[in-house]
Each structure stands twice: as C-alpha cells, then as structure tokens.
Amino acid sequence: MFSYSYLRNWVDAEMALFSCVLFAIRTCLSLPEESFSIGATVFQSSHIHRLFLFPFHHRSLPQLLLSITALLFLTGSVEKGFGTVRFLFIFLLLTSITGVTYSFLDLLQDASQHTEGLLPVVLACVALTTLHTKMTKGFLCGVTLVPHSVLLCNVTAILIGWVHGKGWLSPVDMSESRAAVLEKILLFKLLKSISGVMFVPASSQERRKTLLPQINPTPGSYPVQAYAALPSTTTTHTPATVYEGWPHSASLTPSQPPHGHLTPNSVGHNHGHFATHSVGHNHGHFSDQIVGQSCSHGHSHSHGPMQ
C-alpha cells in the first residue's frame, strides 16, 4: 500500500499511469513482446522511438508492478532535489543515453538480448543522487530481481547516472534558469494550481519554501523565563536597583559612612547584621564574608580609623 506522499509526485504518477496504459494497449492489440524493447534491432530496423518508450514498456504484469514500485519509492528525492521540470528532462536524458548505449553494446554481441522497463532509468536516478554516499556500493546487488531485466543494461544505466552526477553531462543538461522559464508555460501553471499535487519549483530558494514546512507558533507556545517578584519595600539609606528581575545594590560600598572614616581595614561604622547579597546597606545581615572587622557572631563595631 503506497503512501499518499509518493502519489503526490506528479511526474512519477504520470509515468506509472502511462506504463499501465501502454501495457493495456499492447495486451489488447496482441502486439509482440519486443515491440518497444531496446537492443540491436534499434539500429538494424531504425526504430529510434524505442529509445524513449522502452522504460514504459513491460512484458508481464509482475514486471510492471515491480517497476512502478521502484519508481515511486526511489525517484522522489530526485524530483525534490532538482525540481519537477528538471527531473522530467533528466529522466528523458538518462532514458535516451541508456537506450543508445545498451543498443550499441547489444549490437556488438553475438546473441541479441532485448530489455525494457523502468528499472534501468530508476537505477540511474538513484546513482545520480547517491554518488557521494556510502550507498553506491549496493547498486549491483539485486538489480536483476525484476523479471525480464538485463544485468548489462542495469549496470550501464548506473554508470550513466554516475557520469551525470559527476557533471560530465552538463553541456546537454537543463540549467536551473532555463527550467524556471519553462515553468511559466500553461501546462506547468495548471499543475501548480492543482491542490494535492506536489509541484517542485526549479529555483532552489522557492524549492526550499515549498518543501520545508512553514512554522507559525501560537502565542504562549514558547517557554518564558520566570522572574522573582520584587520586594515591596527597600531600605532608605541606599536605593536598590533591579538587574534581570532581582534586587541589586546601587554600589558595593556606602557613599558616606555614618561614623568615622573609611580605611582599607574598615568600611565605616556599621551596626547590625550584613547579608551576603547586600554589601552596601548600612543595616543588614552578614553571614560568610565580612568587609571590615567582625566578631564571631557576625557583629561589627568600629570607633574610628584602625591603626
């Protein structure tokens, strides 16, 4: 059972539909099984149209179903990476080059062996996208599982996909700017307007906007830092300031000591208990560090400058 996200790819869905229609036509008209296959007969009989139709031709129903499954699950990343228009052109480019190369190789063989189906072009597309990943070594494993597939054609398609991934086909490839111009024709404008069909733009900037979800957070969805409540009263001697929601003294030393003079060993005449976080208040609690002379219980008495 296919996921709806795979069916939203317009190019893949159209290719799968065209393959089913061509299979039904060939079956109803009782056409030969090799009527749209590629091989040595492409050059011997001048059947050039086979170079573009062989991916959509299938001899049996199991071959058709397996090819469509490989198409829907393995080529979606190519369309998302290049855009719908460029992916369509790349698919036709890989199809024609694979058909010409294999037909020429088959012409050199003693025994001709025809092939068809979507699998060779699908393998070329996967080779194109995973050229610089660790998955490249797994292409040759199981490429003949689809009925009527030929190993030589599959390997040829994979090599062509690698050549395209290297950029060696850039002279005949479609650029991003040209694809953006083609998107303005009527056909692609209609595709963009159809709801439920994913049309990927050719421009990389517009492509990111299309593929990446738009996040609109609701108010209050982000956590907010909780601040402590301000005290209701402050001391009269030193005005308290606020730093990030917490009370903070305006200065670390009193501006005018009530008795005596300031010396390095004494900070004025302070009576009472000083707190650790309010060294600038004249009266307060003082627990760990005492600026000046202190007794064992935290009381500080000073009568004039220390000698």
Side-chain angles (χ1 to χ4, degrees):
M1 181 177 180
F2 298 127
S3 175
Y4 176 71
S5 60
Y6 294 103
L7 298 179
R8 292 180 61 208
N9 296 336
W10 175 78
V11 176
D12 293 345
E14 292 297 323
M15 291 179 181
L17 179 61
F18 184 72
S19 300
C20 295
V21 172
L22 187 61
F23 178 79
I25 293 175
R26 190 194 64 82
T27 304
C28 294
L29 299 180
S30 300
L31 297 177
E33 292 184 351
E34 300 178 355
S35 55
F36 297 104
S37 302
I38 56 174
T41 56
V42 172
F43 299 113
Q44 294 173 353
S45 303
S46 300
H47 292 166
I48 306 301
H49 62 278
R50 296 187 181 185
L51 299 176
F52 303 97
L53 294 179
F54 81 92
F56 312 105
H57 170 56
H58 300 83
R59 301 185 188 182
S60 61
L61 184 60
Q63 181 188 15
L64 173 64
L65 296 179
L66 290 176
S67 296
I68 292 177
T69 302
L71 174 70
L72 296 178
F73 281 94
L74 296 179
T75 60
S77 60
V78 184
E79 182 176 357
K80 295 178 181 178
F82 290 93
T84 301
V85 177
R86 292 191 65 191
F87 170 64
L88 182 60
F89 181 83
I90 289 173
F91 189 92
L92 296 177
L93 180 64
L94 296 178
T95 296
S96 57
I97 295 178
T98 301
V100 170
T101 305
Y102 176 74
S103 298
F104 178 76
L105 295 177
D106 188 64
L107 186 62
L108 300 178
Q109 295 180 1
D110 296 334
S112 179
Q113 191 175 9
H114 292 78
T115 185
E116 66 284 316
L118 289 165
L119 181 62
V121 187
V122 169
L123 292 175
C125 292
V126 177
L128 188 156
T129 56
T130 59
L131 176 64
H132 302 288
T133 64
K134 297 180 180 180
M135 296 178 59
T136 54
K137 298 180 180 180
F139 288 140
L140 299 181
C141 301
V143 295
T144 59
L145 295 179
V146 177
H148 307 291
S149 62
V150 179
L151 179 61
L152 178 60
C153 183
N154 295 338
V155 174
T156 301
I158 292 174
L159 294 177
I160 293 174
W162 283 347
V163 169
H164 190 285
K166 290 288 188 179
W168 296 342
L169 297 180
S170 56
V172 294
D173 197 4
M174 178 181 291
S175 62
E176 183 176 306
S177 58
R178 177 61 63 87
V181 173
L182 291 178
E183 288 179 356
K184 299 179 181 180
I185 65 177
L186 181 60
L187 175 61
F188 296 114
K189 286 183 178 180
L190 293 176
L191 291 176
K192 293 180 180 180
S193 61
I194 299 176
S195 60
V197 176
M198 185 180 64
F199 183 87
V200 184
S203 175
S204 57
Q205 183 177 3
E206 295 181 1
R207 188 161 58 244
R208 286 191 296 267
K209 294 180 181 179
T210 302
L211 299 177
L212 295 179
Q214 300 295 331
I215 302 176
N216 296 321
T218 57
S221 59
Y222 289 103
V224 180
Q225 182 178 359
Y227 293 102
L230 293 177
S232 58
T233 59
T234 58
T235 58
T236 58
H237 296 280
T238 306
T241 59
V242 178
Y243 180 75
E244 293 188 354
W246 292 90
H248 183 68
S249 176
S251 60
L252 294 178
T253 58
S255 57
Q256 293 181 355
H259 302 287
H261 301 282
L262 279 172
T263 62
N265 297 325
S266 175
V267 187
H269 291 278
N270 300 324
H271 300 278
H273 303 277
F274 281 78
T276 305
H277 297 288
S278 59
V279 182
H281 294 283
N282 293 329
H283 302 281
H285 260 293
F286 180 69
S287 58
D288 294 331
Q289 297 178 354
I290 302 176
V291 184
Q293 294 182 349
S294 62
C295 299
S296 59
H297 295 287
H299 294 281
S300 175
H301 300 277
S302 176
H303 300 281
M306 299 293 297
Q307 298 298 329

